[in-house]
Amino acid sequence: MKFILQISGTLASMILSFIALHAYSDQHDMGSTYSSAHWLIFASVILTVITGISYFQSKVEHEGLHYFLYAALGITHAIVVPLAITIAGLKIDFGQYWWVALLGIIGLIWWGNTNKSVRT
């Protein structure tokens, strides 16, 4: 039963991600400053992370190659796919300079963490 829910979560997150990114791209092309597709993108990332956590927790139920495959699916769903969705959103917003925005986000996170460690 858990396997069926995991496959359903994977398919639902893929479909929701494509719909959300397409809607976001269309609204961005129309010049809309606020997009309701932001909520769809957020929902697809949350669904993907939840599915990834489920896959990662399922690895303890298996041995050998299946253990590795469930761990790989968990890491892919929990880290790689949300990062890819974020990069796709940045590509829609910033075009060919998406990588500058990504470096800015990483820099702000790093700066925030160093300031937090200085305060405590």
Coordinates of all heavy atoms in Angstrom, one line a residue, residues 8-25 37-49 51 76-77 80-86 88-89 92:
S8 N 2.0 7.3 -6.5 CA 1.0 8.3 -6.7 C 1.5 9.7 -6.4 O 1.3 10.7 -7.1 CB -0.3 8.1 -5.9 OG -0.8 6.8 -6.2
G9 N 2.3 9.8 -5.3 CA 2.9 11.1 -4.9 C 3.9 11.5 -6.0 O 4.0 12.7 -6.3
T10 N 4.7 10.6 -6.5 CA 5.6 11.0 -7.6 C 4.9 11.5 -8.8 O 5.3 12.5 -9.4 CB 6.5 9.7 -8.0 OG1 7.2 9.3 -6.8 CG2 7.5 10.1 -9.0
L11 N 3.9 10.7 -9.3 CA 3.2 11.2 -10.5 C 2.4 12.5 -10.2 O 2.5 13.4 -11.1 CB 2.2 10.1 -10.9 CG 2.8 8.8 -11.4 CD1 1.7 7.8 -11.7 CD2 3.6 9.1 -12.7
A12 N 1.8 12.6 -9.1 CA 1.1 13.9 -8.8 C 2.1 15.1 -8.7 O 1.7 16.2 -9.2 CB 0.3 13.7 -7.4
S13 N 3.2 14.9 -8.1 CA 4.2 16.0 -8.0 C 4.7 16.4 -9.4 O 5.0 17.5 -9.7 CB 5.3 15.7 -7.0 OG 6.1 14.6 -7.5
M14 N 5.0 15.4 -10.2 CA 5.4 15.7 -11.6 C 4.4 16.5 -12.4 O 4.7 17.5 -13.0 CB 5.8 14.4 -12.4 CG 7.0 13.7 -12.0 SD 7.5 12.2 -12.8 CE 6.3 11.9 -14.0
I15 N 3.1 16.0 -12.3 CA 2.1 16.7 -13.1 C 1.8 18.1 -12.5 O 1.7 19.1 -13.3 CB 0.8 15.8 -13.0 CG1 1.0 14.5 -13.8 CG2 -0.4 16.6 -13.5 CD1 -0.1 13.5 -13.6
L16 N 1.8 18.2 -11.2 CA 1.6 19.5 -10.6 C 2.7 20.5 -10.9 O 2.5 21.7 -11.1 CB 1.4 19.3 -9.1 CG 1.0 20.6 -8.3 CD1 -0.4 21.1 -8.8 CD2 0.9 20.2 -6.8
S17 N 4.0 20.0 -10.9 CA 5.1 20.8 -11.2 C 5.0 21.4 -12.6 O 5.3 22.5 -12.9 CB 6.4 20.0 -11.0 OG 6.6 19.7 -9.7
F18 N 4.7 20.5 -13.6 CA 4.6 20.9 -15.0 C 3.5 21.9 -15.2 O 3.6 23.0 -15.8 CB 4.4 19.8 -15.9 CG 5.7 19.0 -16.1 CD1 5.7 17.6 -15.9 CD2 6.8 19.6 -16.6 CE1 6.8 16.9 -16.1 CE2 8.0 18.8 -16.7 CZ 8.0 17.5 -16.5
I19 N 2.3 21.7 -14.5 CA 1.2 22.6 -14.6 C 1.6 23.9 -14.0 O 1.3 25.0 -14.6 CB -0.1 22.0 -14.0 CG1 -0.6 20.8 -14.9 CG2 -1.1 23.1 -13.8 CD1 -1.7 20.0 -14.2
A20 N 2.2 23.9 -12.8 CA 2.5 25.1 -12.1 C 3.5 26.0 -12.9 O 3.4 27.2 -13.0 CB 3.0 24.8 -10.7
L21 N 4.6 25.3 -13.4 CA 5.6 26.1 -14.1 C 5.1 26.6 -15.4 O 5.4 27.7 -15.8 CB 6.8 25.2 -14.3 CG 7.7 24.9 -13.1 CD1 8.7 23.9 -13.4 CD2 8.3 26.2 -12.5
H22 N 4.2 25.9 -16.1 CA 3.6 26.4 -17.3 C 2.7 27.6 -17.0 O 2.7 28.6 -17.7 CB 2.8 25.3 -18.0 CG 2.3 25.6 -19.3 ND1 2.8 26.6 -20.1 CD2 1.2 25.1 -20.1 CE1 2.1 26.7 -21.2 NE2 1.2 25.8 -21.2
A23 N 1.8 27.5 -16.0 CA 1.0 28.6 -15.6 C 1.8 29.8 -15.2 O 1.5 30.9 -15.5 CB 0.0 28.2 -14.5
Y24 N 2.9 29.6 -14.4 CA 3.7 30.6 -14.0 C 4.4 31.3 -15.2 O 4.5 32.6 -15.2 CB 4.8 30.1 -13.0 CG 5.7 31.2 -12.4 CD1 5.1 32.2 -11.6 CD2 7.0 31.2 -12.7 CE1 5.9 33.1 -11.1 CE2 7.8 32.2 -12.2 CZ 7.3 33.1 -11.3 OH 8.1 34.1 -10.8
S25 N 4.8 30.6 -16.2 CA 5.4 31.1 -17.4 C 4.4 31.9 -18.1 O 4.8 33.0 -18.6 CB 6.0 30.0 -18.2 OG 6.5 30.5 -19.4
A37 N 0.1 31.1 -9.5 CA 0.9 29.8 -9.7 C 2.0 29.7 -8.7 O 2.5 28.6 -8.6 CB 1.5 29.9 -11.1
H38 N 2.3 30.7 -7.9 CA 3.3 30.6 -6.9 C 2.8 29.5 -5.9 O 3.6 28.7 -5.4 CB 3.5 31.9 -6.1 CG 4.3 32.9 -6.8 ND1 3.8 34.0 -7.3 CD2 5.6 32.8 -7.2 CE1 4.8 34.7 -7.9 NE2 5.9 34.0 -7.9
W39 N 1.5 29.5 -5.6 CA 1.0 28.5 -4.6 C 1.1 27.1 -5.2 O 1.3 26.2 -4.5 CB -0.4 28.9 -4.2 CG -0.5 30.1 -3.5 CD1 -0.9 31.4 -3.9 CD2 0.0 30.3 -2.1 NE1 -0.8 32.3 -2.9 CE2 -0.2 31.7 -1.8 CE3 0.6 29.5 -1.2 CZ2 0.1 32.2 -0.6 CZ3 0.9 30.1 0.0 CH2 0.7 31.4 0.3
L40 N 0.9 27.0 -6.5 CA 1.0 25.7 -7.2 C 2.4 25.2 -7.1 O 2.7 24.0 -6.9 CB 0.5 25.7 -8.6 CG -1.0 25.8 -8.8 CD1 -1.3 26.0 -10.3 CD2 -1.7 24.6 -8.3
I41 N 3.4 26.1 -7.3 CA 4.8 25.7 -7.3 C 5.1 25.3 -5.8 O 5.8 24.3 -5.6 CB 5.7 26.8 -7.8 CG1 5.5 27.0 -9.3 CG2 7.1 26.6 -7.4 CD1 6.2 28.2 -9.8
F42 N 4.7 26.0 -4.9 CA 4.9 25.7 -3.5 C 4.3 24.4 -3.1 O 5.0 23.5 -2.4 CB 4.4 26.8 -2.6 CG 4.6 26.6 -1.1 CD1 5.9 26.8 -0.6 CD2 3.6 26.3 -0.3 CE1 6.2 26.6 0.7 CE2 3.8 26.1 1.1 CZ 5.1 26.3 1.6
A43 N 3.1 24.1 -3.6 CA 2.4 22.8 -3.3 C 3.2 21.7 -3.9 O 3.3 20.6 -3.3 CB 1.0 22.9 -3.8
S44 N 3.7 21.9 -5.1 CA 4.4 20.8 -5.8 C 5.7 20.5 -5.1 O 6.1 19.3 -5.0 CB 4.7 21.1 -7.3 OG 5.6 22.2 -7.4
V45 N 6.4 21.5 -4.6 CA 7.7 21.3 -3.8 C 7.4 20.6 -2.5 O 8.1 19.6 -2.2 CB 8.4 22.6 -3.6 CG1 9.5 22.5 -2.6 CG2 8.9 23.2 -4.9
I46 N 6.3 21.0 -1.8 CA 6.0 20.3 -0.6 C 5.6 18.8 -0.8 O 6.1 17.9 -0.1 CB 4.8 21.1 0.1 CG1 5.3 22.4 0.6 CG2 4.3 20.3 1.3 CD1 6.4 22.4 1.6
L47 N 4.8 18.6 -1.9 CA 4.4 17.2 -2.2 C 5.6 16.4 -2.6 O 5.8 15.2 -2.2 CB 3.4 17.2 -3.3 CG 2.9 15.9 -3.8 CD1 2.1 15.2 -2.6 CD2 2.0 16.0 -5.0
T48 N 6.6 17.0 -3.3 CA 7.8 16.2 -3.7 C 8.6 15.9 -2.5 O 9.1 14.8 -2.4 CB 8.6 17.1 -4.7 OG1 7.7 17.4 -5.8 CG2 9.8 16.3 -5.2
V49 N 8.8 16.9 -1.6 CA 9.6 16.6 -0.4 C 9.0 15.5 0.5 O 9.7 14.7 1.0 CB 9.8 17.9 0.4 CG1 10.4 17.7 1.7 CG2 10.7 18.9 -0.4
T51 N 7.0 13.1 -0.5 CA 7.2 11.8 -1.1 C 8.6 11.4 -1.0 O 8.9 10.2 -0.8 CB 6.8 12.0 -2.6 OG1 5.5 12.5 -2.8 CG2 6.9 10.6 -3.3
T76 N 16.7 12.2 -4.2 CA 16.3 12.9 -5.5 C 15.0 13.7 -5.2 O 15.0 14.9 -5.6 CB 16.1 11.9 -6.6 OG1 17.4 11.2 -6.8 CG2 15.7 12.6 -7.9
H77 N 14.1 13.1 -4.6 CA 12.8 13.8 -4.4 C 12.9 14.9 -3.4 O 12.3 15.9 -3.5 CB 11.7 12.8 -3.9 CG 11.0 12.1 -5.0 ND1 11.6 11.0 -5.7 CD2 9.8 12.2 -5.6 CE1 10.8 10.5 -6.6 NE2 9.7 11.3 -6.5
V80 N 17.0 17.2 -5.0 CA 17.3 17.5 -6.4 C 16.1 18.1 -7.1 O 16.2 19.1 -7.8 CB 17.8 16.3 -7.1 CG1 18.0 16.6 -8.6 CG2 19.1 15.8 -6.5
V81 N 14.9 17.5 -7.0 CA 13.7 18.0 -7.7 C 13.3 19.4 -7.2 O 13.0 20.2 -8.0 CB 12.6 16.9 -7.6 CG1 11.3 17.5 -8.2 CG2 13.0 15.7 -8.3
P82 N 13.2 19.6 -5.9 CA 12.9 21.0 -5.4 C 13.9 22.0 -5.9 O 13.5 23.1 -6.3 CB 12.9 20.9 -3.9 CG 12.5 19.5 -3.6 CD 13.2 18.7 -4.7
L83 N 15.2 21.7 -6.0 CA 16.2 22.6 -6.5 C 16.0 22.8 -8.0 O 16.1 24.0 -8.5 CB 17.6 22.0 -6.3 CG 18.8 22.9 -6.7 CD1 18.8 24.2 -5.9 CD2 20.1 22.1 -6.5
A84 N 15.6 21.8 -8.8 CA 15.3 21.9 -10.2 C 14.1 22.8 -10.4 O 14.1 23.7 -11.3 CB 15.1 20.6 -10.8
I85 N 13.1 22.7 -9.6 CA 11.9 23.5 -9.7 C 12.2 25.0 -9.4 O 11.8 25.9 -10.1 CB 10.7 23.0 -8.8 CG1 10.2 21.6 -9.3 CG2 9.6 24.0 -8.7 CD1 9.3 20.9 -8.3
T86 N 13.1 25.2 -8.4 CA 13.5 26.5 -8.0 C 14.3 27.2 -9.2 O 14.1 28.3 -9.5 CB 14.4 26.5 -6.8 OG1 13.6 25.9 -5.7 CG2 14.8 27.9 -6.4
A88 N 14.1 26.4 -12.3 CA 13.1 26.7 -13.4 C 12.4 27.9 -13.2 O 12.2 28.8 -14.1 CB 12.2 25.5 -13.6
G89 N 12.0 28.2 -12.0 CA 11.3 29.4 -11.6 C 12.2 30.6 -11.8 O 11.8 31.7 -12.3
I92 N 12.6 31.4 -15.4 CA 11.4 32.2 -16.0 C 11.5 33.6 -15.6 O 11.3 34.5 -16.4 CB 10.1 31.5 -15.4 CG1 9.9 30.1 -16.1 CG2 8.9 32.4 -15.7 CD1 8.8 29.3 -15.5

